[in-house]
Amino acid sequence: MTQRHAPATERNREPILEVLATHLPPEGAVLEISSGTGQHAAHFAPALAPREWLPTELEPENLVSIAAWRERYPSANLHPPQRLDVSAPYWWSEPRSSGQPITAIVNINMIHIAPWHCCEGLLQGAEHILATGGVLYLYGPFKRGGRHTAPSNAAFDSHLKNQDPTWGVRNLESVIELADHHNFNHLTTVEMPANNLSVLFSRR
Ligand SMILES: C[S@@+](CC[C@H](N)C(=O)[O-])C[C@H]1O[C@@H](n2cnc3c(N)ncnc32)[C@H](O)[C@@H]1O
């Protein structure tokens, strides 16, 4: 079993948990997209019970890591990880249920480290999966009004684009506009440490 470690998750998990505890529906299942190492899932699932937590990932090594974190920190409401690629056509039609309806989708630090069509796939799937009142949570760095909010975010954006020109820090207003197109109202934006944002949407 190979547990991966992402140091950022240890810094951001408490501030994120506070926002999730405040805004997620009190019941049902939370579908986590791009769970990464699985550290967030292992930390959030027991803290957010009785909600069920459904971790998913694209990368096989991360699926192994999520399973390892789950084995080390078992929680009755933390489900085994499943493979999920938001760029796959009709990804939302695959069953992801825990017996509870999915009432929230959580996606942390993905949309800037993936092509824009992944953000489109995420919103399209979320629109299909969530019923009225369902919550979509996004976390990461964002531009506001087309401008970076900090020099460190501008440097990070350049670094991302050097790795892959289709990646990059997204413009908050563009994401809100796309979400609106997919029947999501922008609920609120919460400023987070290290120039990140929590952005919450509600399915109409
Ligand atoms: C920076 S990591 C963030 C992981 C985790 N959420 C965290 O905060 O530590 C970005 C993640 O997005 C995932 N990812 C990239 N493209 C994806 C796609 N098309 N579908 C689902 N996940 C994807 C990667 O595998 C990676 O785990």
Side-chain angles (χ1 to χ4, degrees), residues 127-139:
E127 180 182 21
H128 279 86
I129 289 171
L130 294 175
T132 299
V135 170
L136 172 66
Y137 172 88
L138 303 181
Y139 171 94

Side-chain angles (χ1 to χ4, degrees), residues 9 34 40 57-59 62 84-86 108-110 113:
T9 61
S34 82
H40 279 148
E57 240 297 323
L58 171 65
E59 297 294 340
N62 283 341
L84 193 160
D85 176 358
V86 289
I108 299 169
N109 275 333
M110 186 202 78
I113 311 183

Side-chain angles (χ1 to χ4, degrees), residues 124-197:
Q124 200 176 7
E127 180 182 21
H128 279 86
I129 289 171
L130 294 175
T132 299
V135 170
L136 172 66
Y137 172 88
L138 303 181
Y139 171 94
F142 288 86
K143 290 188 275 187
R144 297 185 100 162
R147 290 165 182 264
H148 288 294
T149 60
S152 58
N153 281 6
F156 184 46
D157 191 31
S158 301
H159 170 73
L160 290 172
K161 286 177 174 147
N162 280 338
Q163 287 183 70
D164 186 324
T166 69
W167 295 3
V169 172
R170 305 303 173 194
N171 196 36
L172 178 62
E173 291 79 6
S174 308
V175 176
I176 291 173
E177 190 182 327
L178 178 68
D180 180 61
H181 179 71
H182 287 287
N183 287 309
F184 282 94
N185 292 331
H186 177 218
L187 268 182
T188 187
T189 295
V190 184
E191 297 202 0
M192 306 294 283
N195 304 303
N196 289 294
L197 298 179

